[in-house]
Amino acid sequence: MKLEKAAAQLEALGNPTRLQLYRILVRAGDGGLAVGSVQGKLDIPSSTLSHHLKRLVDTGLVTQERQATTLICRANYPGMNALIGYLADECCADAACAPAVGKALA
Amino acid sequence: MKLEKAAAQLEALGNPTRLQLYRILVRAGDGGLAVGSVQGKLDIPSSTLSHHLKRLVDTGLVTQERQATTLICRANYPGMNALIGYLADECCADAACAPAVGKALA
DNA sequence: ACCAAATTTCGAAAAATATGGAAATAGCGT
DNA sequence: ACGCTATTTCCATATTTTTCGAAATTTGGT
Protein backbone atom coordinates (compact mmCIF):
# COMPACT_ATOMS: atom_id res chain seq x y z
CA MET A 1 0.00 0.00 0.00
CA LYS A 2 1.43 3.35 -1.05
CA LEU A 3 1.03 6.43 1.04
CA GLU A 4 -0.75 8.28 -1.73
CA LYS A 5 -3.31 5.56 -2.19
CA ALA A 6 -3.97 5.24 1.52
CA ALA A 7 -4.40 8.99 1.81
CA ALA A 8 -6.82 9.03 -1.12
CA GLN A 9 -8.89 6.27 0.48
CA LEU A 10 -8.90 7.96 3.86
CA GLU A 11 -9.90 11.23 2.30
CA ALA A 12 -12.68 9.47 0.45
CA LEU A 13 -13.99 8.14 3.75
CA GLY A 14 -13.46 11.47 5.45
CA ASN A 15 -16.67 13.05 4.28
CA PRO A 16 -19.75 12.43 6.41
CA THR A 17 -21.97 11.66 3.47
CA ARG A 18 -19.47 9.30 1.88
CA LEU A 19 -18.71 7.61 5.17
CA GLN A 20 -22.40 7.01 5.72
CA LEU A 21 -22.68 5.71 2.20
CA TYR A 22 -19.71 3.43 2.66
CA ARG A 23 -21.06 2.07 5.92
CA ILE A 24 -24.36 1.30 4.28
CA LEU A 25 -22.47 -0.82 1.78
CA VAL A 26 -20.36 -2.40 4.52
CA ARG A 27 -23.54 -3.36 6.33
CA ALA A 28 -25.06 -4.70 3.15
CA GLY A 29 -22.37 -7.35 2.87
CA ASP A 30 -21.52 -9.39 -0.18
CA GLY A 31 -24.95 -8.99 -1.70
CA GLY A 32 -24.27 -5.35 -2.30
CA LEU A 33 -26.86 -2.71 -2.96
CA ALA A 34 -28.15 -0.96 -6.06
CA VAL A 35 -27.34 2.73 -6.43
CA GLY A 36 -31.05 3.47 -6.27
CA SER A 37 -31.45 1.58 -2.99
CA VAL A 38 -28.61 3.54 -1.48
CA GLN A 39 -30.20 6.75 -2.64
CA GLY A 40 -33.39 5.81 -0.87
CA LYS A 41 -31.48 5.41 2.36
CA LEU A 42 -29.52 8.63 2.06
CA ASP A 43 -32.07 10.97 0.54
CA ILE A 44 -29.66 13.07 -1.49
CA PRO A 45 -29.90 14.03 -5.18
CA SER A 46 -28.73 11.36 -7.55
CA SER A 47 -26.05 13.54 -9.06
CA THR A 48 -24.52 14.20 -5.67
CA LEU A 49 -24.68 10.53 -4.81
CA SER A 50 -23.07 9.62 -8.09
CA HIS A 51 -20.15 11.94 -7.42
CA HIS A 52 -19.55 10.46 -4.00
CA LEU A 53 -19.89 6.93 -5.23
CA LYS A 54 -17.44 7.58 -8.03
CA ARG A 55 -14.93 8.76 -5.49
CA LEU A 56 -15.25 5.56 -3.50
CA VAL A 57 -14.97 3.45 -6.63
CA ASP A 58 -12.01 5.42 -7.97
CA THR A 59 -10.10 4.97 -4.76
CA GLY A 60 -10.79 1.24 -4.74
CA LEU A 61 -13.02 1.09 -1.69
CA VAL A 62 -16.14 0.07 -3.57
CA THR A 63 -16.73 -2.12 -6.60
CA GLN A 64 -19.63 -2.04 -9.00
CA GLU A 65 -21.30 -4.61 -11.17
CA ARG A 66 -24.09 -4.12 -13.65
CA GLN A 67 -27.28 -6.10 -13.38
CA ALA A 68 -29.56 -5.00 -16.15
CA THR A 69 -30.21 -1.29 -15.68
CA THR A 70 -29.16 -1.21 -12.07
CA LEU A 71 -25.64 -0.95 -10.75
CA ILE A 72 -24.83 -3.09 -7.76
CA CYS A 73 -22.29 -1.56 -5.38
CA ARG A 74 -20.24 -3.52 -2.89
CA ALA A 75 -17.78 -2.56 -0.22
CA ASN A 76 -14.36 -3.93 -1.09
CA TYR A 77 -13.48 -5.74 2.12
CA PRO A 78 -9.93 -6.73 1.19
CA GLY A 79 -9.35 -3.10 0.30
CA MET A 80 -10.63 -2.01 3.68
CA ASN A 81 -8.35 -4.46 5.42
CA ALA A 82 -5.34 -3.26 3.48
CA LEU A 83 -6.10 0.28 4.54
CA ILE A 84 -6.54 -0.65 8.18
CA GLY A 85 -3.34 -2.63 8.01
CA TYR A 86 -1.55 0.35 6.60
CA LEU A 87 -2.60 2.49 9.52
CA ALA A 88 -1.38 0.02 12.07
CA ASP A 89 1.42 -1.93 10.47
CA GLU A 90 4.35 0.15 11.59
CA CYS A 91 2.95 0.82 15.01
CA CYS A 92 5.86 1.46 17.33
CA ALA A 93 8.38 0.30 14.74
CA ASP A 94 10.83 2.78 16.20
CA ALA A 95 10.13 1.89 19.82
CA ALA A 96 9.25 -1.16 21.84
CA CYS A 97 5.63 -1.18 22.92
CA ALA A 98 2.61 -3.40 23.16
CA PRO A 99 1.13 -3.12 19.69
CA ALA A 100 -2.40 -1.84 19.83
CA VAL A 101 -3.68 -3.44 16.69
CA GLY A 102 -1.02 -3.92 14.07
CA LYS A 103 0.37 -7.31 14.93
CA ALA A 104 -3.01 -8.67 15.83
CA LEU A 105 -3.96 -8.38 12.19
CA ALA A 106 -0.81 -9.88 10.80
CA MET B 1 -17.97 6.76 18.02
CA LYS B 2 -20.14 9.21 16.14
CA LEU B 3 -20.17 9.40 12.39
CA GLU B 4 -19.11 13.03 12.42
CA LYS B 5 -16.11 12.37 14.58
CA ALA B 6 -15.01 9.37 12.55
CA ALA B 7 -15.34 11.38 9.35
CA ALA B 8 -13.29 14.22 10.82
CA GLN B 9 -10.55 11.80 11.82
CA LEU B 10 -10.54 10.07 8.46
CA GLU B 11 -10.40 13.40 6.70
CA ALA B 12 -7.52 14.43 8.93
CA LEU B 13 -5.64 11.31 7.87
CA GLY B 14 -6.65 11.76 4.27
CA ASN B 15 -3.98 14.26 3.38
CA PRO B 16 -0.64 12.83 2.27
CA THR B 17 1.38 15.21 4.42
CA ARG B 18 -0.73 14.61 7.50
CA LEU B 19 -0.79 10.87 6.95
CA GLN B 20 2.98 10.86 6.71
CA LEU B 21 3.15 12.97 9.84
CA TYR B 22 0.78 10.68 11.68
CA ARG B 23 2.71 7.60 10.66
CA ILE B 24 5.91 9.15 11.90
CA LEU B 25 4.25 9.52 15.27
CA VAL B 26 2.81 6.01 15.13
CA ARG B 27 6.29 4.68 14.47
CA ALA B 28 7.71 6.75 17.29
CA GLY B 29 5.63 4.92 19.84
CA ASP B 30 4.88 6.00 23.37
CA GLY B 31 7.97 8.15 23.62
CA GLY B 32 6.50 10.57 21.15
CA LEU B 33 8.41 13.15 19.18
CA ALA B 34 8.96 16.88 19.50
CA VAL B 35 7.40 19.11 16.88
CA GLY B 36 10.85 20.18 15.82
CA SER B 37 11.99 16.59 15.32
CA VAL B 38 8.99 15.91 13.16
CA GLN B 39 9.74 18.98 11.12
CA GLY B 40 13.24 17.69 10.49
CA LYS B 41 11.78 14.51 9.04
CA LEU B 42 9.18 16.20 6.89
CA ASP B 43 11.00 19.27 5.67
CA ILE B 44 8.02 21.59 5.48
CA PRO B 45 7.67 25.11 6.89
CA SER B 46 6.85 25.22 10.55
CA SER B 47 3.64 27.12 10.02
CA THR B 48 2.37 24.49 7.63
CA LEU B 49 3.36 21.73 10.02
CA SER B 50 1.64 23.48 12.88
CA HIS B 51 -1.63 23.64 10.95
CA HIS B 52 -1.53 19.96 10.10
CA LEU B 53 -0.59 19.00 13.60
CA LYS B 54 -3.42 21.07 15.00
CA ARG B 55 -5.82 19.21 12.79
CA LEU B 56 -4.64 15.88 14.12
CA VAL B 57 -4.82 17.10 17.70
CA ASP B 58 -8.25 18.67 17.24
CA THR B 59 -9.67 15.46 15.87
CA GLY B 60 -8.23 13.47 18.74
CA LEU B 61 -5.70 11.43 16.80
CA VAL B 62 -2.67 12.98 18.43
CA THR B 63 -1.95 14.26 21.92
CA GLN B 64 0.60 16.81 23.00
CA GLU B 65 2.53 17.42 26.17
CA ARG B 66 4.85 20.26 26.98
CA GLN B 67 8.41 19.60 28.05
CA ALA B 68 10.13 22.90 28.59
CA THR B 69 10.02 24.79 25.32
CA THR B 70 9.37 21.75 23.19
CA LEU B 71 6.05 20.10 22.56
CA ILE B 72 6.00 16.33 22.55
CA CYS B 73 3.48 14.77 20.19
CA ARG B 74 2.15 11.26 20.45
CA ALA B 75 -0.18 9.15 18.34
CA ASN B 76 -3.30 8.35 20.29
CA TYR B 77 -3.44 4.58 19.91
CA PRO B 78 -6.79 4.01 21.62
CA GLY B 79 -8.19 6.69 19.34
CA MET B 80 -6.82 4.90 16.32
CA ASN B 81 -8.34 1.63 17.46
CA ALA B 82 -11.72 3.25 17.97
CA LEU B 83 -11.60 4.58 14.45
CA ILE B 84 -10.60 1.24 12.97
CA GLY B 85 -13.33 -0.42 14.98
CA TYR B 86 -15.84 2.05 13.64
CA LEU B 87 -14.97 1.16 10.08
CA ALA B 88 -15.37 -2.53 10.65
CA ASP B 89 -17.85 -2.95 13.45
CA GLU B 90 -21.02 -3.25 11.45
CA CYS B 91 -19.45 -5.31 8.73
CA CYS B 92 -22.19 -7.37 7.13
CA ALA B 93 -24.66 -6.48 9.88
CA ASP B 94 -27.42 -6.73 7.30
CA ALA B 95 -26.18 -9.96 5.77
CA ALA B 96 -24.52 -13.14 6.89
CA CYS B 97 -20.88 -13.28 5.93
CA ALA B 98 -17.46 -14.13 7.26
CA PRO B 99 -16.42 -10.90 8.94
CA ALA B 100 -13.26 -9.55 7.43
CA VAL B 101 -11.96 -7.70 10.42
CA GLY B 102 -14.68 -6.42 12.68
CA LYS B 103 -15.25 -9.35 14.99
CA ALA B 104 -11.57 -10.14 15.15
CA LEU B 105 -11.07 -6.91 17.04
CA ALA B 106 -13.96 -7.32 19.42
C1' DA C 1 14.09 41.86 32.77
C1' DC C 2 16.05 40.14 28.62
C1' DC C 3 17.46 36.80 25.15
C1' DA C 4 17.10 32.72 22.41
C1' DA C 5 14.65 28.75 20.85
C1' DA C 6 10.27 26.46 19.80
C1' DT C 7 5.89 26.84 18.18
C1' DT C 8 1.59 29.19 16.92
C1' DT C 9 -1.32 32.78 14.90
C1' DC C 10 -2.34 36.11 11.27
C1' DG C 11 -3.34 37.09 6.72
C1' DA C 12 -3.88 36.12 2.15
C1' DA C 13 -3.84 33.56 -2.44
C1' DA C 14 -4.34 29.33 -5.16
C1' DA C 15 -6.42 25.08 -5.49
C1' DA C 16 -9.60 21.53 -4.47
C1' DT C 17 -14.06 19.90 -2.83
C1' DA C 18 -19.14 19.62 -2.28
C1' DT C 19 -23.46 20.23 -4.10
C1' DG C 20 -27.27 19.82 -7.26
C1' DG C 21 -30.25 21.08 -11.46
C1' DA C 22 -30.51 19.96 -16.10
C1' DA C 23 -29.20 17.31 -19.88
C1' DA C 24 -27.14 13.14 -21.57
C1' DT C 25 -26.40 8.17 -21.66
C1' DA C 26 -27.09 3.07 -20.97
C1' DG C 27 -29.74 -1.06 -20.94
C1' DC C 28 -33.88 -3.62 -21.29
C1' DG C 29 -38.70 -4.92 -22.49
C1' DT C 30 -42.06 -4.57 -26.11
C1' DA D 1 -37.09 1.76 -32.98
C1' DC D 2 -39.43 3.55 -28.75
C1' DG D 3 -40.11 4.39 -24.18
C1' DC D 4 -38.89 3.66 -19.50
C1' DT D 5 -35.89 3.47 -15.66
C1' DA D 6 -31.36 3.88 -13.70
C1' DT D 7 -27.39 6.35 -13.50
C1' DT D 8 -23.86 9.54 -14.99
C1' DT D 9 -21.95 13.75 -16.99
C1' DC D 10 -21.98 18.72 -17.63
C1' DC D 11 -21.89 23.01 -15.65
C1' DA D 12 -21.82 26.43 -12.30
C1' DT D 13 -21.31 28.14 -7.54
C1' DA D 14 -20.32 28.36 -2.64
C1' DT D 15 -17.32 26.68 0.61
C1' DT D 16 -13.29 24.62 2.40
C1' DT D 17 -8.60 23.35 2.28
C1' DT D 18 -3.77 23.94 1.57
C1' DT D 19 0.13 26.56 1.76
C1' DC D 20 3.55 29.58 3.82
C1' DG D 21 5.92 34.19 4.96
C1' DA D 22 5.91 37.30 8.56
C1' DA D 23 4.77 38.56 13.00
C1' DA D 24 3.47 37.17 17.54
C1' DT D 25 3.72 34.20 21.46
C1' DT D 26 5.45 31.05 24.95
C1' DT D 27 8.93 29.07 27.90
C1' DG D 28 13.14 28.65 30.24
C1' DG D 29 17.82 30.11 31.11
C1' DT D 30 20.91 33.80 32.75
Side-chain angles (χ1 to χ4, degrees):
Chain A
M1 169 86 66
K2 304 189 314 288
L3 177 103
E4 294 293 338
K5 181 177 180 182
Q9 291 186 334
L10 289 164
E11 187 187 38
L13 293 174
N15 169 280
T17 302
R18 277 195 302 268
L19 181 54
Q20 211 180 335
L21 160 51
Y22 180 71
R23 279 167 60 81
I24 285 172
L25 294 180
V26 167
R27 292 185 62 103
D30 287 332
L33 226 47
V35 175
S37 305
V38 175
Q39 191 186 357
K41 297 194 180 221
L42 282 179
D43 195 35
I44 58 177
S46 54
S47 92
T48 301
L49 173 59
S50 185
H51 284 304
H52 286 313
L53 210 36
K54 177 173 172 21
R55 186 81 157 266
L56 291 173
V57 170
D58 284 349
T59 54
L61 288 166
V62 166
T63 61
Q64 292 181 320
E65 178 198 354
R66 275 223 105 87
Q67 277 185 14
T69 55
T70 69
L71 250 192
I72 303 297
C73 307
R74 293 189 181 84
N76 174 11
Y77 296 109
M80 179 173 78
N81 287 337
L83 178 59
I84 289 175
Y86 184 80
L87 281 181
D89 73 350
E90 297 192 40
C91 172
C92 312
D94 293 349
C97 82
V101 162
K103 281 80 176 185
L105 289 176
Chain B
M1 169 85 67
K2 301 189 315 288
L3 177 102
E4 294 293 337
K5 181 177 181 183
Q9 292 186 334
L10 289 164
E11 188 186 37
L13 293 174
N15 170 279
T17 303
R18 276 195 303 270
L19 182 55
Q20 209 179 337
L21 159 52
Y22 181 71
R23 279 166 62 81
I24 285 171
L25 295 179
V26 167
R27 292 185 63 102
D30 287 332
L33 227 47
V35 175
S37 306
V38 175
Q39 192 187 355
K41 299 193 178 220
L42 282 179
D43 194 37
I44 58 177
S46 54
S47 85
T48 302
L49 174 59
S50 185
H51 282 304
H52 285 313
L53 210 36
K54 178 173 172 15
R55 186 82 159 266
L56 291 172
V57 170
D58 284 349
T59 53
L61 288 165
V62 166
T63 61
Q64 291 180 321
E65 178 197 354
R66 275 223 104 86
Q67 276 184 15
T69 55
T70 69
L71 250 191
I72 304 296
C73 307
R74 291 188 182 85
N76 174 12
Y77 295 110
M80 178 172 78
N81 287 336
L83 179 58
I84 289 174
Y86 183 80
L87 281 181
D89 73 351
E90 298 194 38
C91 172
C92 313
D94 293 351
C97 81
V101 164
K103 280 81 175 186
L105 289 174

